[in-house]
Amino acid sequence: MLEKLPLVGSVDCSAFVDEAVRRQIAGAVPALDALCRRFKGFGMTHPVREQTVALAGLAAIGGPEAAATVQRLINDHVVAEPGLSLALKAAARLRVRVPPTIVHDALNAREPDLRASACRCARFWPAAIPRLIELLEDLNHDVARDAAIALGVAGRCEAVPSLVGLVMQEPTNEVIEALVTVGSDECFVALGRVADVWPDLRHLVIRALAASDHRLATTLLRRIDPDHPMVVTDER
């Protein structure tokens, strides 16, 4: 199977890659790398399906080998700009440090998908902070959201109004963690509201609060989950 993977066509590539990911086949990462590199120089007008599927497979497999492979694919400019947003999404998921020049260019790209993906990778580069603050006002919702999350992860208070709005309208684990990282009183008040309004997400709020040393974290935990070990220990 692996010997066929780098040569598979667009019709069959999804099935091959899905099977490799499902079975966690040894050697799948180099095969996916070869599949991507086979199309270097292509995709100048639209993403190459084989590269798109291979990058998704690498992100799903995870681990240091897959992360290093995605990093090399980006560094070697294997994926042309129409598909670069997908490569950056894989890089963000694998916590790969993308070169700052690539991040800078992507943050200023015309395509909103590319700007949004770049926001997810920009959290590693302090020099990108001013641009991320500008992108809080981006007309594209996904770009503004990902800029707010990246700034929140960096602990920047400029993201608080956006994050508070996001957590009440479309709460996700990423937004919750970003609010906890910023750690202002307003952030924790918003988390308390989320636990009340979105009972299905209460476990995410509890987990985030338990990992925080903010003075309001235990207070909120006591209200939301009185039997939590942190609350019991604190009371003792």
Side-chain angles (χ1 to χ4, degrees):
M1 175 184 177
L2 285 182
E3 64 275 10
K4 297 180 181 179
L5 186 52
L7 302 174
V8 72
S10 61
V11 175
D12 300 320
C13 62
S14 290
F16 271 79
V17 173
D18 287 347
E19 183 66 10
V21 172
R22 185 182 68 83
R23 292 167 55 188
Q24 293 288 300
I25 299 174
V29 171
L32 292 172
D33 181 28
L35 177 59
C36 260
R37 290 181 182 277
R38 176 179 151 209
F39 292 94
K40 182 176 182 179
F42 292 80
M44 296 301 177
T45 58
H46 60 274
V48 177
R49 175 169 171 73
E50 290 86 345
Q51 289 186 331
T52 298
V53 172
L55 288 165
L58 289 167
I61 290 171
E65 185 184 10
T69 297
V70 170
Q71 187 174 48
R72 286 194 298 270
L73 289 170
I74 293 173
N75 290 352
D76 295 345
H77 302 281
V78 172
V79 183
E81 184 168 307
L84 183 58
S85 65
L86 302 169
L88 294 182
K89 285 179 182 177
R93 181 172 173 180
L94 295 169
R95 301 190 67 79
V96 168
R97 290 179 179 268
V98 178
T101 52
I102 293 178
V103 173
H104 175 272
D105 290 344
L107 286 173
N108 292 281
R110 177 176 298 178
E111 297 77 12
D113 284 350
L114 188 49
R115 295 199 303 278
S117 297
C119 288
R120 292 178 172 269
C121 296
R123 62 186 66 179
F124 297 112
W125 303 113
I129 294 294
R131 179 56 178 154
L132 289 173
I133 293 173
E134 291 176 352
L135 291 176
L136 289 173
E137 305 297 329
D138 198 280
L139 296 179
N140 182 274
H141 174 74
D142 291 346
V143 176
R145 178 197 62 211
D146 288 346
I149 292 171
L151 287 166
V153 170
R156 300 289 301 204
C157 62
E158 293 91 342
V160 171
S162 297
L163 290 173
V164 169
L166 284 169
V167 82
M168 296 307 299
Q169 297 167 13
E170 47 179 296
T172 64
N173 190 42
E174 283 186 314
V175 175
I176 290 171
E177 290 182 351
L179 279 168
V180 170
T181 302
V182 176
S184 69
D185 289 1
E186 185 180 359
C187 292
F188 282 92
V189 170
L191 289 174
R193 290 175 183 161
V194 169
D196 294 335
V197 175
W198 303 87
D200 292 345
L201 298 177
R202 189 169 295 176
H203 67 288
L204 295 178
V205 175
I206 291 172
R207 185 175 66 186
L209 293 173
S212 172
D213 58 0
H214 191 277
R215 60 183 178 80
L216 289 180
T218 303
T219 301
L220 284 171
L221 273 176
R222 185 177 292 112
R223 179 173 69 80
I224 298 169
D225 185 11
D227 296 325
H228 192 279
M230 276 188 62
V231 174
V232 175
T233 301
D234 182 67
E235 289 176 346
R236 288 179 182 174

